[in-house]
Amino acid sequence: MSGRGRVLRKLSGKSKPSKNRAGRTRSATPKGPGAEDCERTNALFKGIPVPTYAWKRSGEDFVLVDFNDAADASTHGRIGAMVGKTASALYRENRPDILEDFSRCFQSQISFQREMKYRYTTGEDNDFLVTYTFVPPDFVMVHTEEITERRRAAEELRQSEARFRALVENSQDVIFIVSADGVARFLNASMERILGYPPSEIIGRNVFDLIHPEDLPGARSSFMRAFQSHGVTVSAPFRALHADGSWIYVEVVSHNFTEDPRIQGILGNLRDVTDRKRLEDERLKTSKLESLGVLAGGIAHDFNNILTAILGNISIARTLARDDDPIAKRLTEAEKASLRARDLTQQLLTFAKGGAPIMKPASIAEIVRDAAGFALRGSPTQCDLSIPEGLWPADADEGQISQVIHNLVLNADQAMPEGGTIQVRCENLLMEAENGKPRLPLPPGNYLRISVADHGIGIPEEHLKRIFDPYFTTKQRGSGLGLATAYSIIRNHGGYIAVESRLGAGTTFHVCLPASSREIPLPRRARAGENRLSGNERVLVMEDEEVVRDVASDILTSLGYEVAVAPEGSEAVDLYMRAAESGRPFDAVIMDLTVRGGMGGREAVRRLIEINPAAKVIVSSGYSEDPVMADFRKYGFSGVVAKPYRIDELGAALDRVLREKE
């Protein structure tokens, strides 16, 4: 009688042995009482879905006495050859731990499980979950469940989770899960990097507490869209409160996972877009200025022609009036008003079109000292200048940079109506990239930084983003062009201007200008009599506006020059040629740069130089931003005078050109 039959009889009652398909003796179904129990037990044992083995205690050892169909299948029919063999014969050499498991189960008479790696006779290493069960009086039943695939899947899942956890924790964005009522349930480590809060400080709080009040309605609306729309990604920008009390611009992209049992909320990411927003604002601001420039250029040109006639005639009238004549005072006041109108026009052109700066190496220290002193003349406000030795020069238009410093210092003075101290600091600055990004929207390199700080009333936060916009002002008396002009000038110098302010604590403007690698030229000595304002030379005036042509002719005539006029370039060239052929050439020519419907100064000067390479030609225009005005010699001109001009300005420009050696 086989061991397998014996174990079944022990467990189920008496039965007669019979032969199985392999030829081994198996217990037959007995007749009489208990036969049905034996059949049932035998069927249950055979039908257990996992490989099961019956081991019987034999002295200090265990003998394999039976196995079920699952065991036979899992070993590809090879387990039958092991029936009757002892555990020590099978496992002492290669798996003594299995012997220990048998003894432990038999002695403790309790069931337990453990995982093990075992090599079948097929030569494959597999993972198993083994269950040991004591069956009285002297059996140990062993169930083996192969879990290789399960463990592999679990390991893959673990690795996948580890990868995703690493991705989430190391993401540059804030990854979050927010419940349906807006409470933060998960935040990754980037929360502290971007907004300054440790995740544990925010988890459990309502995230809407961190949103700027003005942006709160839009943020709630986008959250509701995400909450109500499954499968739809919702994106929304707003300002978020940083741990240091500042507001930064962020963009949130969210998706509804409330029906996913693993998430059960709104999953999304938050990204810091402060730098992008600043660049977008810069582009928008630049676009505004460029759009206004098209309009401003034409208006300013026409306005300057009108001002030229007004200012020129006033200048002539002043020379005719006695100093003690009451009309002289009126003419002086009218001239002052015209000059203010000229300055306003110049500011309009500068902020809108930029006004090509006449760049040369300049001492920023001298510009700052002179401009700050002039702006505070007659004011009780003090100026604390901090200018270190060895300050780098800058490639700059001295007049334009002086205008910027003057505007900033004047604004600082007006911010302290009761007086105080303005701190003006200059310093060398090496601009380097941080984390692959520049600290300011400037390329790396050497810069000079000029800081103008007051301790006045400060600027409200809602006004900070608009102070460089044209025509924006909070002053009762002000054009709103001062800071817009400063912005445009610094931009055209390849620099950057920024502001920081706190209400009640004051405002600081920072100006960065590229440093120059060239040396500052030594000042030219003034020549004796250089400012003489009269002469008897012949001068040709080319001007398309009759009123300007007349006033220019009157000014030059009053200075003693012999004057001829032409309305456009081709006629001026013809007059110049005929005068040269007659033996009475023109000593100088004053040309308007732009002529509607005719030849302008740029083409006409080329024609004159072909006739006479030594021709002395002065360019005159109301378009002060035109590159010809900034670099007139490059285009063949000998001098420049901007409209509108006074009698002394036109006379001085002409006198300088006539005195230049050929």
Side-chain angles (χ1 to χ4, degrees):
M1 184 177 292
S2 73
R4 193 170 183 185
R6 286 196 297 272
V7 71
L8 290 179
R9 287 202 307 275
K10 288 285 186 182
L11 296 174
S12 307
K14 295 180 180 180
S15 64
K16 294 181 180 180
S18 64
K19 298 290 185 180
N20 64 9
R21 288 176 298 174
R24 295 195 309 271
T25 301
R26 298 193 61 173
S27 55
T29 304
K31 302 296 181 180
E36 291 183 1
D37 289 340
C38 183
E39 287 279 2
R40 188 180 301 111
T41 302
N42 188 35
L44 289 173
F45 180 77
K46 289 170 58 180
I48 295 175
V50 297
T52 305
Y53 309 86
W55 293 81
K56 184 179 186 319
R57 178 76 169 183
S58 176
E60 297 298 322
D61 210 339
F62 294 85
V63 178
L64 178 63
V65 295
D66 208 349
F67 56 89
N68 70 348
D69 292 343
D72 192 44
S74 67
T75 61
H76 305 286
R78 298 176 184 176
I79 190 64
M82 299 181 186
V83 172
K85 293 185 179 181
T86 62
S88 60
L90 294 173
Y91 303 120
R92 185 179 300 278
E93 296 295 330
N94 60 344
R95 294 303 297 265
D97 56 319
I98 295 179
L99 290 173
E100 295 175 2
D101 289 341
F102 285 145
S103 298
R104 175 188 169 192
C105 180
F106 187 82
Q107 293 171 5
S108 64
Q109 298 186 2
I110 61 173
S111 297
F112 64 90
Q113 290 181 325
R114 79 178 182 97
E115 294 183 7
M116 69 167 64
K117 189 176 289 292
Y118 189 78
R119 175 172 294 181
Y120 269 140
T121 55
T122 57
E124 300 175 354
D125 285 329
N126 294 285
D127 294 305
F128 292 92
L129 176 65
V130 181
T131 304
Y132 296 92
T133 304
F134 173 72
V135 178
D138 52 4
F139 288 92
V140 172
M141 302 294 289
V142 180
H143 304 275
T144 60
E145 181 182 358
E146 185 176 346
I147 58 172
T148 305
E149 291 301 323
R150 186 196 306 173
R151 294 193 67 174
R152 183 179 296 119
E155 178 61 20
E156 290 177 354
L157 179 60
R158 187 194 66 79
Q159 292 180 0
S160 176
E161 290 177 346
R163 285 195 298 270
F164 280 106
R165 186 178 299 109
L167 287 173
V168 169
E169 290 302 327
N170 293 284
S171 170
Q172 294 299 301
D173 294 349
V174 175
I175 307 297
F176 63 83
I177 297 176
V178 176
S179 63
D181 55 358
V183 174
R185 293 178 46 234
F186 170 81
L187 293 163
N188 68 342
S190 289
M191 183 68 181
E192 187 165 10
R193 184 182 61 81
I194 292 179
L195 288 173
Y197 305 97
S200 58
E201 186 176 328
I202 302 301
I203 291 176
R205 288 178 53 183
N206 194 297
V207 295
F208 292 106
D209 295 340
L210 302 178
I211 298 176
H212 194 286
E214 294 179 3
D215 301 337
L216 196 55
R220 289 188 181 278
S221 176
S222 65
F223 180 81
M224 290 305 298
R225 287 202 311 275
F227 183 69
Q228 295 171 355
S229 306
H230 293 277
V232 176
T233 299
V234 178
S235 175
F238 53 79
R239 284 165 290 178
L241 180 63
H242 193 277
D244 63 8
S246 63
W247 296 97
I248 68 171
Y249 285 91
V250 299
E251 183 178 61
V252 171
V253 178
S254 51
H255 197 92
N256 189 339
F257 281 92
T258 52
E259 295 183 356
D260 189 324
R262 297 167 299 178
I263 299 176
Q264 296 181 336
I266 302 296
L267 173 67
N269 66 293
L270 175 149
R271 177 172 298 174
D272 183 358
V273 295
T274 304
D275 291 340
R276 189 180 77 188
K277 183 68 167 57
R278 183 174 66 241
L279 292 175
E280 288 174 353
D281 289 345
E282 292 289 331
R283 285 195 293 268
L284 179 60
K285 193 178 300 179
T286 300
S287 177
K288 286 181 180 179
L289 295 178
E290 290 174 350
S291 298
L292 282 172
V294 177
L295 175 64
I299 293 175
H301 177 262
D302 292 341
F303 190 45
N304 275 335
N305 279 334
I306 297 171
L307 276 178
T308 300
I310 295 172
L311 192 56
N313 280 303
I314 291 174
S315 297
I316 295 171
R318 280 192 62 208
T319 64
L320 301 176
R322 299 190 311 271
D323 291 341
D324 58 348
D325 194 326
I327 199 172
K329 181 179 180 182
R330 298 300 176 189
L331 290 172
T332 300
E333 292 300 318
E335 186 178 57
K336 289 180 180 179
S338 298
L339 290 174
R340 285 198 297 271
R342 181 179 69 176
D343 292 341
L344 182 61
T345 307
Q346 183 57 43
Q347 282 193 331
L348 181 65
L349 279 170
T350 301
F351 92 80
K353 296 288 287 184
I358 304 174
M359 309 283 272
K360 63 181 180 179
S363 170
I364 294 299
E366 293 183 7
I367 294 175
V368 169
R369 287 193 189 98
D370 293 345
F374 182 76
L376 294 178
R377 189 172 299 168
S379 171
T381 303
Q382 301 297 313
C383 184
D384 178 16
L385 284 173
S386 175
I387 303 177
E389 294 291 333
L391 191 67
W392 295 327
D395 286 321
D397 184 313
E398 295 185 17
Q400 291 188 5
I401 297 302
S402 178
Q403 183 180 0
V404 171
I405 303 304
H406 181 275
N407 283 343
L408 296 182
V409 173
L410 190 61
N411 280 351
D413 179 39
Q414 293 173 350
M416 299 187 296
E418 303 301 323
T421 300
I422 298 172
Q423 294 172 319
V424 180
R425 180 184 180 188
C426 301
E427 57 186 323
N428 295 329
L429 178 66
L430 176 60
M431 189 74 68
E432 295 179 327
E434 294 182 352
N435 297 323
K437 296 181 180 179
R439 289 180 293 169
L440 296 174
L442 293 172
N446 294 333
Y447 292 83
L448 291 96
R449 180 162 59 191
I450 308 163
S451 302
V452 179
D454 64 62
H455 302 284
I457 56 178
I459 302 173
E461 183 182 350
E462 63 269 20
H463 292 166
L464 274 177
K465 59 185 178 182
R466 298 187 59 198
I467 59 172
F468 294 118
D469 289 351
Y471 302 114
F472 177 78
T473 180
T474 58
K475 302 175 184 177
Q476 292 183 350
R477 297 179 61 186
S479 64
L481 293 179
L483 290 177
T485 301
Y487 174 87
S488 184
I489 289 173
I490 299 304
R491 182 193 64 186
N492 287 327
H493 276 73
Y496 182 73
I497 182 170
V499 61
E500 52 186 359
S501 184
R502 289 171 53 196
L503 282 178
T507 301
T508 301
F509 283 89
H510 299 287
V511 174
C512 290
L513 291 171
S516 175
S517 58
R518 299 183 292 171
E519 294 184 358
I520 300 174
L522 295 174
R524 179 176 62 86
R525 293 184 178 180
R527 303 186 184 98
E530 188 174 17
N531 294 322
R532 182 171 60 86
L533 298 178
S534 63
N536 53 15
E537 291 85 354
R538 299 192 73 209
V539 179
L540 173 62
V541 176
M542 188 274 281
E543 170 62 54
D544 66 331
E545 290 285 346
E546 182 179 3
V547 64
V548 179
R549 195 164 60 237
D550 291 343
V551 77
S553 177
D554 291 344
I555 288 175
L556 295 173
T557 300
S558 70
L559 293 175
Y561 294 102
E562 183 181 341
V563 184
V565 297
E568 55 87 31
S570 59
E571 184 174 333
V573 172
D574 185 58
L575 284 175
Y576 189 87
M577 186 183 304
R578 285 192 279 123
E581 292 172 349
S582 69
R584 298 184 67 243
F586 289 107
D587 297 285
V589 182
I590 299 173
M591 281 192 171
D592 188 12
L593 185 60
T594 305
V595 174
R596 293 185 178 92
M599 182 187 295
R602 191 176 307 192
E603 174 63 24
V605 72
R606 285 198 293 267
R607 302 279 186 90
L608 293 186
I609 292 174
E610 290 175 359
I611 299 170
N612 177 17
K616 295 182 176 181
V617 187
I618 297 173
V619 61
S620 176
S621 177
Y623 287 109
S624 60
E625 81 287 353
D626 194 291
V628 176
M629 301 292 284
D631 196 6
F632 57 88
R633 294 189 187 277
K634 176 181 176 182
Y635 296 88
F637 294 99
S638 303
V640 61
V641 60
K643 299 176 185 177
Y645 43 73
R646 294 175 298 177
I647 186 171
D648 56 339
E649 293 169 337
L650 181 59
L654 183 58
D655 200 53
R656 281 194 298 271
V657 169
L658 290 173
R659 287 180 176 278
E660 285 185 353
K661 293 182 180 180
E662 298 181 3

